[in-house]
Coordinates of all heavy atoms in Angstrom, one line a residue:
M1 N -234.8 -115.7 1.4 CA -234.8 -114.2 1.4 C -236.0 -113.8 0.5 O -236.4 -114.5 -0.4 CB -233.5 -113.7 0.9 CG -232.4 -113.8 1.9 SD -231.1 -112.7 1.4 CE -229.7 -113.6 1.9
T2 N -236.4 -112.6 0.7 CA -237.4 -112.0 -0.2 C -236.8 -111.6 -1.5 O -235.6 -111.4 -1.6 CB -238.1 -110.8 0.5 OG1 -237.1 -109.8 0.7 CG2 -238.7 -111.2 1.8
A3 N -237.7 -111.6 -2.5 CA -237.2 -111.2 -3.9 C -237.1 -109.7 -4.1 O -236.7 -109.3 -5.2 CB -238.1 -111.9 -4.9
E4 N -237.5 -108.9 -3.1 CA -237.5 -107.5 -3.3 C -236.1 -106.9 -3.2 O -235.3 -107.4 -2.4 CB -238.4 -106.8 -2.3 CG -239.9 -107.3 -2.3 CD -240.6 -106.7 -1.1 OE1 -240.2 -105.6 -0.6 OE2 -241.6 -107.3 -0.7
T5 N -235.8 -105.9 -4.0 CA -234.6 -105.3 -3.9 C -234.8 -103.8 -3.6 O -235.8 -103.2 -4.0 CB -233.8 -105.3 -5.2 OG1 -234.5 -104.8 -6.3 CG2 -233.4 -106.7 -5.6
Q6 N -233.9 -103.2 -2.8 CA -234.0 -101.8 -2.4 C -233.5 -100.9 -3.5 O -232.5 -101.3 -4.2 CB -233.3 -101.6 -1.1 CG -233.5 -100.4 -0.4 CD -234.9 -100.4 0.3 OE1 -235.6 -101.3 0.3 NE2 -235.2 -99.2 0.9
E7 N -234.1 -99.8 -3.7 CA -233.6 -98.9 -4.7 C -232.2 -98.3 -4.4 O -232.0 -98.0 -3.2 CB -234.6 -97.7 -4.8 CG -234.3 -96.7 -5.9 CD -235.3 -95.6 -6.1 OE1 -236.5 -95.9 -5.8 OE2 -234.9 -94.5 -6.4
G8 N -231.3 -98.4 -5.3 CA -229.9 -97.9 -5.1 C -229.0 -99.0 -4.6 O -227.8 -98.8 -4.5
W9 N -229.5 -100.2 -4.3 CA -228.7 -101.4 -3.9 C -228.2 -102.1 -5.2 O -228.8 -102.0 -6.2 CB -229.5 -102.3 -3.1 CG -229.8 -101.9 -1.7 CD1 -229.6 -100.6 -1.2 CD2 -230.3 -102.7 -0.6 NE1 -230.0 -100.6 0.1 CE2 -230.5 -101.8 0.5 CE3 -230.7 -104.0 -0.5 CZ2 -230.9 -102.3 1.7 CZ3 -231.2 -104.4 0.7 CH2 -231.3 -103.6 1.8
P10 N -227.0 -102.8 -5.0 CA -226.6 -103.6 -6.2 C -227.6 -104.6 -6.5 O -228.4 -105.0 -5.7 CB -225.3 -104.3 -5.6 CG -224.9 -103.4 -4.5 CD -226.1 -102.8 -3.9
P11 N -227.6 -105.1 -7.8 CA -228.7 -106.0 -8.2 C -228.7 -107.4 -7.5 O -229.8 -108.0 -7.5 CB -228.4 -106.2 -9.7 CG -227.0 -105.7 -9.9 CD -226.7 -104.8 -8.8
N12 N -227.6 -107.8 -7.0 CA -227.6 -109.1 -6.3 C -227.9 -109.1 -4.8 O -227.8 -110.1 -4.1 CB -226.3 -109.9 -6.6 CG -225.1 -109.1 -6.1 OD1 -225.2 -107.9 -5.8 ND2 -224.0 -109.7 -6.0
V13 N -228.2 -107.9 -4.2 CA -228.5 -107.8 -2.8 C -230.0 -107.7 -2.6 O -230.7 -106.9 -3.2 CB -227.8 -106.5 -2.3 CG1 -228.1 -106.3 -0.8 CG2 -226.3 -106.6 -2.5
E14 N -230.5 -108.5 -1.7 CA -231.9 -108.5 -1.4 C -232.2 -108.2 0.0 O -231.3 -108.4 0.9 CB -232.5 -109.9 -1.7 CG -232.3 -110.4 -3.1 CD -232.7 -111.8 -3.4 OE1 -233.1 -112.5 -2.4 OE2 -232.7 -112.2 -4.5
R15 N -233.4 -107.7 0.3 CA -233.8 -107.4 1.7 C -234.0 -108.7 2.5 O -234.4 -109.7 2.0 CB -235.0 -106.6 1.7 CG -234.8 -105.2 1.1 CD -236.1 -104.4 1.0 NE -236.8 -104.4 2.2 CZ -238.0 -103.8 2.4 NH1 -238.5 -103.2 1.4 NH2 -238.6 -103.9 3.6
I16 N -233.8 -108.6 3.8 CA -234.1 -109.7 4.7 C -235.6 -109.5 5.2 O -235.9 -108.5 5.7 CB -233.2 -109.7 5.9 CG1 -231.7 -110.0 5.4 CG2 -233.6 -110.8 6.9 CD1 -230.7 -110.0 6.5
G17 N -236.3 -110.6 5.1 CA -237.7 -110.6 5.6 C -237.8 -111.1 7.0 O -236.8 -111.6 7.6
I18 N -239.0 -111.0 7.6 CA -239.2 -111.5 9.0 C -238.9 -113.0 9.1 O -238.3 -113.4 10.1 CB -240.6 -111.2 9.4 CG1 -240.9 -109.7 9.4 CG2 -240.9 -111.8 10.8 CD1 -240.1 -108.9 10.4
D19 N -239.3 -113.7 8.1 CA -239.0 -115.2 8.1 C -237.5 -115.5 8.1 O -237.1 -116.5 8.6 CB -239.7 -115.9 7.0 CG -241.2 -115.8 7.1 OD1 -241.7 -115.7 8.3 OD2 -241.9 -115.9 6.1
D20 N -236.7 -114.6 7.4 CA -235.3 -114.8 7.3 C -234.6 -114.6 8.6 O -233.4 -115.1 8.8 CB -234.7 -113.9 6.3 CG -235.2 -114.2 4.9 OD1 -235.4 -115.4 4.6 OD2 -235.4 -113.3 4.1
L21 N -235.2 -113.9 9.6 CA -234.5 -113.6 10.8 C -234.3 -114.9 11.7 O -233.5 -115.0 12.5 CB -235.3 -112.6 11.7 CG -235.3 -111.2 11.1 CD1 -236.1 -110.3 11.9 CD2 -233.8 -110.7 11.0
K22 N -235.1 -116.0 11.4 CA -235.0 -117.3 12.1 C -233.6 -117.9 11.7 O -233.2 -118.8 12.4 CB -236.1 -118.2 11.7 CG -237.5 -117.7 12.2 CD -238.5 -118.6 11.7 CE -239.9 -118.0 12.0 NZ -241.0 -118.8 11.4
R23 N -233.1 -117.5 10.6 CA -231.8 -118.1 10.1 C -230.6 -117.4 10.8 O -229.5 -117.9 10.7 CB -231.7 -118.0 8.6 CG -232.8 -118.7 7.9 CD -232.9 -118.3 6.5 NE -231.8 -118.8 5.7 CZ -231.6 -118.5 4.5 NH1 -232.4 -117.7 3.8 NH2 -230.5 -119.0 3.8
L24 N -230.8 -116.3 11.5 CA -229.7 -115.5 12.1 C -229.5 -116.0 13.5 O -230.5 -116.3 14.3 CB -230.1 -114.1 12.1 CG -229.1 -113.0 12.3 CD1 -228.0 -113.1 11.3 CD2 -229.7 -111.6 12.2
G25 N -228.3 -116.1 14.0 CA -228.0 -116.6 15.3 C -226.8 -115.9 15.9 O -226.0 -115.3 15.2
I26 N -226.6 -116.0 17.2 CA -225.4 -115.4 17.9 C -225.0 -116.4 19.0 O -225.9 -117.1 19.6 CB -225.8 -114.0 18.5 CG1 -224.5 -113.3 18.9 CG2 -226.8 -114.1 19.6 CD1 -224.8 -111.8 19.2
N27 N -223.7 -116.5 19.3 CA -223.3 -117.4 20.4 C -222.8 -116.6 21.6 O -222.9 -115.3 21.6 CB -222.2 -118.3 19.8 CG -220.9 -117.6 19.5 OD1 -220.7 -116.4 19.7 ND2 -219.9 -118.4 19.0
G28 N -222.2 -117.2 22.6 CA -221.8 -116.6 23.8 C -220.6 -115.6 23.6 O -220.4 -114.7 24.4
Q29 N -219.9 -115.8 22.6 CA -218.7 -114.9 22.3 C -219.2 -113.7 21.4 O -218.3 -113.0 20.8 CB -217.6 -115.6 21.7 CG -216.8 -116.5 22.6 CD -217.5 -117.9 22.7 OE1 -218.2 -118.3 21.8 NE2 -217.4 -118.5 23.9
Q30 N -220.5 -113.5 21.2 CA -221.0 -112.4 20.4 C -220.6 -112.6 18.9 O -220.5 -111.6 18.3 CB -220.6 -111.1 21.0 CG -220.9 -110.8 22.4 CD -222.4 -110.9 22.7 OE1 -223.2 -110.4 22.0 NE2 -222.7 -111.6 23.8
Q31 N -220.5 -113.8 18.5 CA -220.2 -114.0 17.0 C -221.5 -114.3 16.3 O -222.4 -114.9 16.8 CB -219.3 -115.2 16.9 CG -217.9 -115.0 17.4 CD -217.1 -116.3 17.4 OE1 -217.6 -117.4 17.4 NE2 -215.8 -116.1 17.3
L32 N -221.7 -113.7 15.1 CA -222.9 -113.8 14.4 C -222.9 -115.0 13.4 O -221.9 -115.3 12.8 CB -223.0 -112.5 13.6 CG -224.4 -112.1 13.0 CD1 -225.4 -112.0 14.1 CD2 -224.3 -110.8 12.3
F33 N -224.0 -115.7 13.3 CA -224.2 -116.9 12.5 C -225.3 -116.7 11.6 O -226.4 -116.2 11.9 CB -224.3 -118.1 13.4 CG -223.1 -118.5 14.1 CD1 -222.8 -117.9 15.3 CD2 -222.3 -119.5 13.7 CE1 -221.7 -118.2 16.0 CE2 -221.1 -119.9 14.4 CZ -220.8 -119.2 15.5
W34 N -225.2 -117.3 10.4 CA -226.3 -117.4 9.4 C -226.4 -118.8 8.9 O -225.5 -119.4 8.4 CB -226.0 -116.5 8.2 CG -227.1 -116.4 7.2 CD1 -227.2 -117.2 6.1 CD2 -228.3 -115.6 7.2 NE1 -228.3 -116.9 5.4 CE2 -229.0 -116.0 6.1 CE3 -228.8 -114.7 8.1 CZ2 -230.2 -115.4 5.8 CZ3 -230.0 -114.1 7.8 CH2 -230.7 -114.4 6.7
D35 N -227.5 -119.4 9.2 CA -227.8 -120.9 8.9 C -226.7 -121.7 9.5 O -226.3 -122.7 9.0 CB -227.8 -121.1 7.4 CG -229.1 -120.8 6.7 OD1 -230.1 -120.7 7.5 OD2 -229.1 -120.6 5.5
G36 N -226.3 -121.4 10.7 CA -225.3 -122.2 11.5 C -223.9 -122.0 11.1 O -223.0 -122.5 11.7
R37 N -223.6 -121.1 10.1 CA -222.2 -120.8 9.7 C -221.9 -119.4 10.2 O -222.6 -118.5 10.1 CB -222.1 -120.9 8.2 CG -222.3 -122.3 7.7 CD -222.1 -122.3 6.2 NE -223.2 -121.5 5.7 CZ -223.6 -121.5 4.4 NH1 -223.1 -122.4 3.6 NH2 -224.6 -120.7 4.0
R38 N -220.6 -119.3 10.8 CA -220.2 -118.1 11.3 C -220.0 -117.1 10.2 O -219.4 -117.4 9.1 CB -218.9 -118.2 12.1 CG -218.5 -117.0 12.9 CD -217.4 -117.3 13.9 NE -216.2 -117.7 13.4 CZ -215.2 -116.8 13.2 NH1 -215.3 -115.6 13.6 NH2 -214.0 -117.2 12.7
I39 N -220.4 -115.8 10.4 CA -220.3 -114.8 9.5 C -218.9 -114.1 9.7 O -218.6 -113.7 10.8 CB -221.4 -113.7 9.6 CG1 -222.7 -114.4 9.3 CG2 -221.1 -112.5 8.7 CD1 -223.9 -113.5 9.5
E40 N -218.1 -114.0 8.7 CA -216.8 -113.3 8.7 C -216.8 -112.2 7.8 O -217.2 -112.3 6.6 CB -215.7 -114.3 8.4 CG -215.5 -115.5 9.3 CD -214.4 -116.4 8.9 OE1 -213.5 -116.0 8.1 OE2 -214.4 -117.5 9.4
V41 N -216.2 -111.1 8.2 CA -216.1 -109.9 7.3 C -214.6 -109.8 7.0 O -213.8 -109.6 8.0 CB -216.6 -108.6 8.0 CG1 -216.4 -107.4 7.1 CG2 -218.1 -108.8 8.4
R42 N -214.3 -109.9 5.8 CA -212.9 -109.8 5.4 C -212.7 -108.7 4.4 O -213.4 -108.5 3.5 CB -212.4 -111.1 4.7 CG -212.4 -112.3 5.6 CD -211.9 -113.5 4.8 NE -212.2 -114.7 5.6 CZ -212.0 -115.9 5.1 NH1 -211.6 -116.1 3.9 NH2 -212.2 -116.9 5.9
R43 N -211.7 -107.9 4.7 CA -211.3 -106.8 3.8 C -209.8 -106.8 3.5 O -209.1 -106.8 4.5 CB -211.7 -105.4 4.3 CG -213.2 -105.3 4.4 CD -213.6 -103.9 4.8 NE -215.0 -103.8 4.8 CZ -215.7 -102.8 5.4 NH1 -215.0 -101.9 6.0 NH2 -217.0 -102.8 5.4
R44 N -209.5 -107.0 2.3 CA -208.0 -107.0 2.0 C -207.5 -105.6 1.8 O -208.1 -104.7 1.3 CB -207.9 -107.8 0.7 CG -206.5 -108.0 0.3 CD -206.3 -108.9 -0.9 NE -205.0 -109.0 -1.3 CZ -204.5 -109.7 -2.2 NH1 -205.3 -110.5 -2.8 NH2 -203.2 -109.7 -2.5
L45 N -206.3 -105.4 2.3 CA -205.6 -104.2 2.2 C -204.7 -104.2 1.0 O -203.7 -104.9 0.9 CB -204.8 -103.9 3.5 CG -204.0 -102.6 3.5 CD1 -204.9 -101.4 3.5 CD2 -203.1 -102.5 4.7
D46 N -205.1 -103.4 0.0 CA -204.4 -103.3 -1.3 C -203.8 -101.9 -1.4 O -204.5 -100.9 -1.3 CB -205.3 -103.6 -2.5 CG -205.7 -105.0 -2.6 OD1 -204.9 -105.9 -2.2 OD2 -206.8 -105.2 -3.1
L47 N -202.5 -101.9 -1.5 CA -201.8 -100.6 -1.6 C -201.3 -100.4 -3.0 O -200.9 -101.3 -3.7 CB -200.5 -100.6 -0.7 CG -200.8 -100.7 0.8 CD1 -199.5 -100.7 1.6 CD2 -201.7 -99.6 1.4
T48 N -201.4 -99.1 -3.5 CA -200.9 -98.8 -4.8 C -199.3 -98.8 -4.7 O -198.7 -98.8 -3.6 CB -201.4 -97.4 -5.2 OG1 -200.8 -96.4 -4.4 CG2 -202.9 -97.4 -5.2
N49 N -198.7 -98.8 -5.9 CA -197.2 -98.7 -5.9 C -196.7 -97.5 -5.2 O -195.7 -97.6 -4.5 CB -196.7 -98.8 -7.3 CG -196.9 -100.2 -7.9 OD1 -197.0 -101.2 -7.2 ND2 -197.0 -100.2 -9.2
L50 N -197.4 -96.4 -5.3 CA -196.9 -95.1 -4.6 C -197.0 -95.3 -3.1 O -196.1 -94.9 -2.4 CB -197.8 -93.9 -5.1 CG -197.5 -92.6 -4.4 CD1 -196.1 -92.2 -4.7 CD2 -198.5 -91.6 -4.9
E51 N -198.1 -95.9 -2.7 CA -198.3 -96.1 -1.2 C -197.3 -97.1 -0.7 O -196.7 -96.9 0.4 CB -199.7 -96.6 -0.9 CG -200.8 -95.6 -1.2 CD -202.2 -96.1 -1.1 OE1 -202.3 -97.3 -1.4 OE2 -203.1 -95.4 -0.9
K52 N -196.9 -98.1 -1.5 CA -195.9 -99.1 -1.0 C -194.5 -98.4 -1.0 O -193.8 -98.6 0.0 CB -195.8 -100.2 -2.0 CG -197.0 -101.2 -1.9 CD -196.9 -102.3 -3.0 CE -198.2 -103.1 -3.0 NZ -198.1 -104.1 -4.0
A53 N -194.2 -97.5 -1.9 CA -193.0 -96.8 -1.9 C -192.9 -95.8 -0.7 O -191.9 -95.8 0.0 CB -192.8 -96.0 -3.2
L54 N -194.0 -95.1 -0.5 CA -194.0 -94.2 0.7 C -193.9 -95.0 2.0 O -193.2 -94.5 2.9 CB -195.3 -93.4 0.7 CG -195.4 -92.3 -0.4 CD1 -196.7 -91.6 -0.4 CD2 -194.3 -91.3 -0.2
A55 N -194.5 -96.1 2.1 CA -194.4 -96.9 3.3 C -193.0 -97.4 3.5 O -192.5 -97.5 4.6 CB -195.4 -98.1 3.3
T56 N -192.3 -97.8 2.4 CA -190.9 -98.3 2.5 C -190.0 -97.1 3.0 O -189.2 -97.3 3.8 CB -190.5 -98.8 1.1 OG1 -191.3 -99.9 0.8 CG2 -189.0 -99.3 1.2
I57 N -190.2 -95.9 2.4 CA -189.4 -94.8 2.8 C -189.6 -94.4 4.3 O -188.6 -94.2 5.0 CB -189.7 -93.6 1.9 CG1 -189.2 -93.8 0.5 CG2 -189.1 -92.3 2.4 CD1 -189.7 -92.8 -0.6
V58 N -190.9 -94.4 4.7 CA -191.1 -94.1 6.1 C -190.5 -95.2 7.0 O -190.0 -94.8 8.1 CB -192.7 -94.0 6.3 CG1 -193.0 -94.0 7.8 CG2 -193.2 -92.8 5.6
T59 N -190.6 -96.4 6.6 CA -190.0 -97.5 7.4 C -188.5 -97.3 7.6 O -187.9 -97.4 8.6 CB -190.3 -98.9 6.8 OG1 -191.7 -99.0 6.8 CG2 -189.7 -100.0 7.7
V60 N -187.8 -97.0 6.4 CA -186.4 -96.9 6.4 C -186.0 -95.7 7.3 O -185.0 -95.7 8.1 CB -185.8 -96.7 5.0 CG1 -184.4 -96.2 5.0 CG2 -185.9 -98.0 4.3
C61 N -186.7 -94.6 7.2 CA -186.5 -93.4 8.0 C -186.7 -93.7 9.5 O -185.9 -93.2 10.3 CB -187.3 -92.2 7.6 SG -186.9 -91.5 6.0
A62 N -187.7 -94.4 9.8 CA -187.9 -94.8 11.2 C -186.8 -95.6 11.8 O -186.3 -95.4 12.9 CB -189.3 -95.5 11.4
I63 N -186.3 -96.6 11.0 CA -185.2 -97.4 11.5 C -183.9 -96.6 11.6 O -183.2 -96.7 12.6 CB -185.0 -98.6 10.5 CG1 -186.1 -99.6 10.6 CG2 -183.7 -99.3 10.7 CD1 -186.1 -100.6 9.5
L64 N -183.6 -95.7 10.7 CA -182.4 -94.9 10.8 C -182.6 -93.9 12.0 O -181.6 -93.7 12.7 CB -182.2 -94.1 9.5 CG -181.8 -94.9 8.3 CD1 -181.7 -94.1 7.0 CD2 -180.5 -95.6 8.5
G65 N -183.7 -93.4 12.2 CA -183.9 -92.5 13.4 C -183.7 -93.2 14.7 O -183.1 -92.7 15.6
A66 N -184.2 -94.4 14.7 CA -184.1 -95.2 16.0 C -182.6 -95.6 16.2 O -182.1 -95.5 17.3 CB -184.9 -96.5 15.9
L67 N -181.9 -95.9 15.1 CA -180.5 -96.2 15.2 C -179.7 -95.0 15.7 O -178.8 -95.0 16.5 CB -179.9 -96.7 13.9 CG -178.5 -97.2 13.8 CD1 -178.2 -98.3 14.8 CD2 -178.1 -97.6 12.4
G68 N -180.0 -93.8 15.1 CA -179.3 -92.6 15.5 C -179.6 -92.2 16.9 O -178.7 -91.7 17.6
S69 N -180.8 -92.4 17.4 CA -181.2 -92.1 18.8 C -180.4 -93.0 19.7 O -179.9 -92.6 20.7 CB -182.7 -92.3 19.0 OG -183.4 -91.4 18.3
F70 N -180.2 -94.3 19.3 CA -179.5 -95.3 20.2 C -178.0 -94.8 20.2 O -177.4 -94.8 21.3 CB -179.6 -96.7 19.6 CG -178.7 -97.7 20.3 CD1 -179.1 -98.2 21.6 CD2 -177.5 -98.1 19.8 CE1 -178.3 -99.1 22.3 CE2 -176.7 -99.0 20.5 CZ -177.2 -99.5 21.7
I71 N -177.4 -94.5 19.1 CA -176.0 -94.1 19.1 C -175.8 -92.8 19.9 O -174.9 -92.7 20.7 CB -175.5 -93.9 17.7 CG1 -175.5 -95.3 17.0 CG2 -174.2 -93.3 17.6 CD1 -175.2 -95.3 15.5
T72 N -176.7 -91.8 19.8 CA -176.6 -90.6 20.5 C -176.7 -90.9 22.0 O -176.0 -90.3 22.8 CB -177.7 -89.6 20.1 OG1 -177.5 -89.4 18.7 CG2 -177.6 -88.3 20.8
G73 N -177.7 -91.7 22.4 CA -177.9 -92.1 23.8 C -176.6 -92.8 24.4 O -176.2 -92.5 25.5
F74 N -176.1 -93.7 23.6 CA -174.9 -94.4 24.0 C -173.7 -93.4 24.2 O -173.0 -93.5 25.2 CB -174.5 -95.5 23.0 CG -173.4 -96.3 23.4 CD1 -173.6 -97.4 24.3 CD2 -172.1 -96.1 23.0 CE1 -172.5 -98.2 24.7 CE2 -171.0 -96.9 23.4 CZ -171.3 -98.0 24.2
N75 N -173.5 -92.5 23.3 CA -172.5 -91.5 23.4 C -172.7 -90.6 24.7 O -171.8 -90.3 25.4 CB -172.4 -90.6 22.2 CG -171.3 -89.6 22.2 OD1 -170.2 -89.9 22.6 ND2 -171.6 -88.4 21.9
N76 N -173.9 -90.2 24.9 CA -174.2 -89.3 26.0 C -174.0 -90.1 27.3 O -173.5 -89.5 28.3 CB -175.6 -88.8 26.0 CG -175.8 -87.8 24.9 OD1 -174.9 -87.2 24.4 ND2 -177.1 -87.5 24.5
G77 N -174.3 -91.3 27.3 CA -174.1 -92.2 28.5 C -172.6 -92.3 28.8 O -172.2 -92.3 29.9
S78 N -171.8 -92.5 27.7 CA -170.4 -92.6 27.9 C -169.8 -91.3 28.4 O -168.9 -91.4 29.4 CB -169.8 -92.9 26.5 OG -168.4 -92.9 26.6
V79 N -170.2 -90.2 27.9 CA -169.7 -88.9 28.4 C -170.1 -88.7 29.9 O -169.3 -88.3 30.7 CB -170.2 -87.8 27.5 CG1 -169.9 -86.4 28.1 CG2 -169.6 -87.9 26.1
F80 N -171.3 -89.1 30.2 CA -171.8 -88.9 31.6 C -171.0 -89.8 32.5 O -170.6 -89.3 33.6 CB -173.3 -89.3 31.6 CG -173.9 -89.3 33.0 CD1 -174.4 -88.1 33.5 CD2 -174.0 -90.5 33.7 CE1 -174.9 -88.1 34.8 CE2 -174.6 -90.5 35.0 CZ -175.1 -89.3 35.5
L81 N -170.7 -91.0 32.2 CA -170.0 -91.9 33.1 C -168.5 -91.5 33.1 O -167.9 -91.6 34.2 CB -170.1 -93.4 32.6 CG -171.5 -94.0 32.7 CD1 -171.5 -95.4 32.1 CD2 -171.9 -94.1 34.2
C82 N -167.9 -91.0 32.0 CA -166.5 -90.6 32.1 C -166.4 -89.4 33.0 O -165.4 -89.2 33.7 CB -166.1 -90.2 30.7 SG -165.7 -91.7 29.6
A83 N -167.4 -88.5 33.0 CA -167.3 -87.3 33.9 C -167.3 -87.7 35.4 O -166.9 -86.9 36.2 CB -168.4 -86.3 33.6
R84 N -167.8 -88.9 35.6 CA -167.9 -89.4 37.0 C -166.9 -90.4 37.3 O -166.9 -91.1 38.3 CB -169.3 -89.9 37.3 CG -170.3 -88.8 37.6 CD -171.6 -89.0 37.0 NE -172.5 -87.8 37.1 CZ -172.5 -86.8 36.3 NH1 -171.7 -86.8 35.2 NH2 -173.3 -85.8 36.5
G85 N -165.9 -90.6 36.5 CA -164.7 -91.5 36.7 C -165.0 -92.9 36.4 O -164.2 -93.8 36.8
V86 N -166.1 -93.2 35.7 CA -166.3 -94.6 35.3 C -165.8 -94.8 33.9 O -166.3 -94.1 33.0 CB -167.8 -94.9 35.3 CG1 -168.1 -96.3 34.9 CG2 -168.4 -94.7 36.7
H87 N -164.8 -95.6 33.7 CA -164.1 -95.7 32.4 C -164.3 -97.1 31.7 O -163.5 -97.4 30.9 CB -162.6 -95.4 32.6 CG -162.3 -94.1 33.2 ND1 -162.5 -92.9 32.5 CD2 -162.0 -93.7 34.5 CE1 -162.2 -91.9 33.3 NE2 -161.9 -92.3 34.5
W88 N -165.3 -97.8 32.1 CA -165.4 -99.1 31.4 C -166.0 -98.9 30.0 O -165.9 -99.8 29.2 CB -166.3 -100.1 32.2 CG -167.6 -99.6 32.6 CD1 -168.0 -98.9 33.7 CD2 -168.9 -99.8 31.9 NE1 -169.3 -98.6 33.7 CE2 -169.9 -99.2 32.6 CE3 -169.2 -100.5 30.7 CZ2 -171.2 -99.3 32.2 CZ3 -170.5 -100.5 30.3 CH2 -171.5 -99.9 31.1
L89 N -166.6 -97.8 29.7 CA -166.8 -97.4 28.3 C -165.7 -96.5 27.8 O -165.0 -95.9 28.6 CB -168.2 -96.7 28.2 CG -169.4 -97.5 28.5 CD1 -170.6 -96.6 28.5 CD2 -169.6 -98.6 27.5
S90 N -165.5 -96.4 26.6 CA -164.4 -95.6 26.1 C -164.7 -94.1 26.4 O -165.8 -93.6 26.2 CB -164.2 -95.8 24.6 OG -165.3 -95.4 23.9
C91 N -163.7 -93.4 26.9 CA -163.9 -92.0 27.2 C -163.3 -91.2 26.1 O -162.3 -91.6 25.5 CB -163.2 -91.6 28.5 SG -164.0 -92.4 29.9
P92 N -163.9 -90.0 25.8 CA -163.3 -89.2 24.7 C -162.0 -88.6 25.1 O -161.7 -88.4 26.3 CB -164.3 -88.1 24.5 CG -165.2 -88.1 25.7 CD -165.1 -89.5 26.3
L93 N -161.1 -88.5 24.1 CA -159.8 -87.9 24.4 C -159.9 -86.4 24.7 O -160.6 -85.7 24.0 CB -158.9 -88.1 23.2 CG -158.6 -89.6 22.9 CD1 -157.8 -89.7 21.6 CD2 -157.8 -90.3 24.0
H94 N -159.2 -86.0 25.7 CA -159.1 -84.6 26.0 C -157.8 -84.0 25.6 O -156.8 -84.5 26.1 CB -159.4 -84.3 27.5 CG -160.7 -84.7 28.0 ND1 -161.8 -83.9 27.7 CD2 -161.2 -85.8 28.7 CE1 -162.9 -84.5 28.2 NE2 -162.6 -85.6 28.8
T95 N -157.8 -83.0 24.8 CA -156.5 -82.4 24.4 C -156.4 -81.1 25.3 O -157.4 -80.4 25.5 CB -156.5 -82.0 22.9 OG1 -157.7 -81.2 22.6 CG2 -156.6 -83.3 22.1
P96 N -155.2 -80.9 25.8 CA -155.0 -79.7 26.6 C -155.2 -78.4 25.7 O -154.9 -78.4 24.6 CB -153.6 -79.8 27.1 CG -153.0 -80.8 26.3 CD -154.0 -81.6 25.6
D97 N -155.8 -77.4 26.4 CA -156.0 -76.1 25.7 C -154.6 -75.4 25.5 O -153.8 -75.4 26.4 CB -156.9 -75.2 26.5 CG -158.3 -75.7 26.6 OD1 -158.7 -76.4 25.6 OD2 -159.1 -75.3 27.5
K98 N -154.4 -74.9 24.3 CA -153.2 -74.2 24.0 C -153.5 -72.7 24.1 O -153.9 -72.0 23.1 CB -152.7 -74.5 22.6 CG -152.3 -76.0 22.5 CD -151.9 -76.3 21.1 CE -151.5 -77.8 21.0 NZ -151.1 -78.1 19.6
R99 N -153.3 -72.1 25.3 CA -153.5 -70.7 25.4 C -152.2 -70.0 25.7 O -151.3 -70.4 26.3 CB -154.5 -70.5 26.6 CG -155.8 -70.9 26.2 CD -156.8 -70.5 27.3 NE -158.1 -71.2 27.1 CZ -159.1 -70.9 27.8 NH1 -159.1 -70.2 28.8 NH2 -160.2 -71.5 27.5

């Protein structure tokens, strides 16, 4: 690589010269290589304690919402089937009106 650095770049980052482009390669799967070694970009996801707490709260709320939706759907299905004479699910008790 060339010894020149660009203004505003970190001190350990250097520009690539024309001769350095011979070290760059690409394969059939569009993967990039430098000196025969595949280039990988890795970024770790670090959450703060507040973000972890919020993610936990959102997850618990999503699970409870899904469970509530399932129970409501099961109840509505039971009422629907009971109204049509299908009693293999438990039917709600009907109390006679006292008029």
